Amino acid sequence: MKVSGMIAMALALSGASAALGANAPGLMETDRAFSDRAQTAGLAAAFEEYAAPDAEILRESLWEPITGPEAIGESFAGAGEGVSLVWEPARAEVSESGDLGFTWGRWTLSMPQADEDPRIVRGKYISVWRRQPDGAWKYVLDGGHTTTASPPE
């Protein structure tokens, strides 16, 4: 499925909430576990591990998506020591068939600075997930943007 089709599906899912939700808690748990894995194993390993074989990541700084688990993992390899990306899903929806869903939430990126406090950048993300033959959720599309708004207190 092309990126535009996945985005259309995510938007369609968000408007059909009456028929959705039975599997949403499981998808929220998967997204939280993905964030936890990024803290313990590193960004490259986590993003590669949770990617579907045809996964794509959209980055603000790149025109084309990064495609495939290996390329996605490599894209995080230069993150640098002490860089931390933490996210928390705010909402999940799952299709009535239970095989496709999305999460969106907020992320915080912390980057160490020489002799200074870390640089903190925040934003929002959306991930489209597909259930794999073994029952596991893997993301097929991930993207986000930075925000200048202050986090809620």
Side-chain angles (χ1 to χ4, degrees):
M1 181 180 282
K2 296 284 187 201
V3 170
S4 60
M6 289 181 203
I7 293 171
M9 179 62 72
L11 293 173
L13 285 171
S14 68
S17 60
L20 306 173
N23 295 312
L27 187 51
M28 291 280 279
E29 297 277 330
T30 297
D31 201 2
R32 285 188 185 107
F34 180 20
S35 180
D36 291 346
R37 183 75 174 146
Q39 304 315 300
T40 59
L43 292 171
F47 272 85
E48 191 168 336
E49 181 180 322
Y50 278 82
D54 58 343
E56 295 184 314
I57 286 192
L58 306 177
R59 292 245 177 100
E60 288 182 86
S61 61
L62 298 174
W63 184 255
E64 295 294 327
I66 301 168
T67 304
E70 187 175 328
I72 290 168
E74 289 172 5
S75 77
F76 285 97
E81 192 173 327
V83 171
S84 171
L85 176 63
V86 178
W87 61 93
E88 175 64 30
R91 180 174 170 200
E93 294 288 344
V94 175
S95 66
E96 192 171 347
S97 62
D99 61 349
L100 193 65
F102 74 90
T103 55
W104 78 264
R106 295 171 184 89
W107 55 264
T108 301
L109 176 65
S110 176
M111 298 170 284
Q113 304 293 305
D115 300 325
E116 297 177 27
D117 289 336
R119 179 171 177 237
I120 305 294
V121 180
R122 292 184 174 86
K124 296 177 191 162
Y125 72 92
I126 184 166
S127 299
V128 179
W129 299 81
R130 184 173 55 226
R131 193 178 298 275
Q132 302 302 294
D134 66 359
W137 287 105
K138 299 279 186 171
Y139 71 85
V140 291
L141 180 66
D142 182 75
H145 64 86
T146 58
T147 182
T148 57
S150 298
E153 296 191 22

